[in-house]
Amino acid sequence: PAQFNLLPNYPNPFNPTTAILFDLPRPARVDLTVYSMDGKSIKSLENGNLPSGRHQRVWNGTDQNGIRVASGIYFYRLQATSIDNRAPLYFCTKKMALTK
């Protein structure tokens, strides 16, 4: 990929799972987290170093403890920093809807 990019999740709205794709033009430390409407962290989908390329993570509508969350609007945030000095490279947040 030529640039950092967080793509819309698919499907959206979803039940019970959705795929989140993102592009990294160079290796980066990635934090991909799902948040509730009130800003609480629900689940970390990725937290580590990744190579350049297109990546996909799937969220199954559960929290960090494996408990299904309620229907509603959630946000997913991608933050990429450089691997060596943790300088910010990219930050983006998108909205998704879980229906039951």
Side-chain angles (χ1 to χ4, degrees):
Q3 61 186 8
F4 289 95
N5 193 18
L6 178 61
L7 289 84
N9 64 300
Y10 182 81
N12 192 20
F14 69 96
N15 180 15
T17 62
T18 189
I20 299 170
L21 285 87
F22 55 95
D23 295 330
L24 302 176
R26 64 188 226 195
R29 177 160 183 79
V30 171
D31 178 16
L32 178 63
T33 304
V34 176
Y35 293 90
S36 62
M37 285 283 291
D38 60 3
K40 291 181 184 173
S41 175
I42 300 297
K43 188 164 193 174
S44 174
L45 301 178
E46 181 63 52
N47 190 356
N49 296 339
L50 292 177
S52 62
R54 176 158 286 179
H55 300 274
Q56 175 180 304
R57 298 297 178 267
V58 175
W59 184 44
N60 62 1
T62 62
D63 66 11
Q64 284 295 100
N65 299 314
I67 299 169
R68 296 203 57 74
V69 298
S71 294
I73 302 297
Y74 292 87
F75 297 93
Y76 56 106
R77 181 186 76 182
L78 176 68
Q79 183 174 338
T81 57
S82 63
I83 292 173
D84 53 357
N85 64 7
R86 305 287 173 102
L89 298 172
Y90 180 77
F91 180 87
C92 186
T93 302
K94 294 194 182 276
K95 180 171 61 171
M96 60 184 161
L98 170 60
T99 59
K100 292 187 179 178

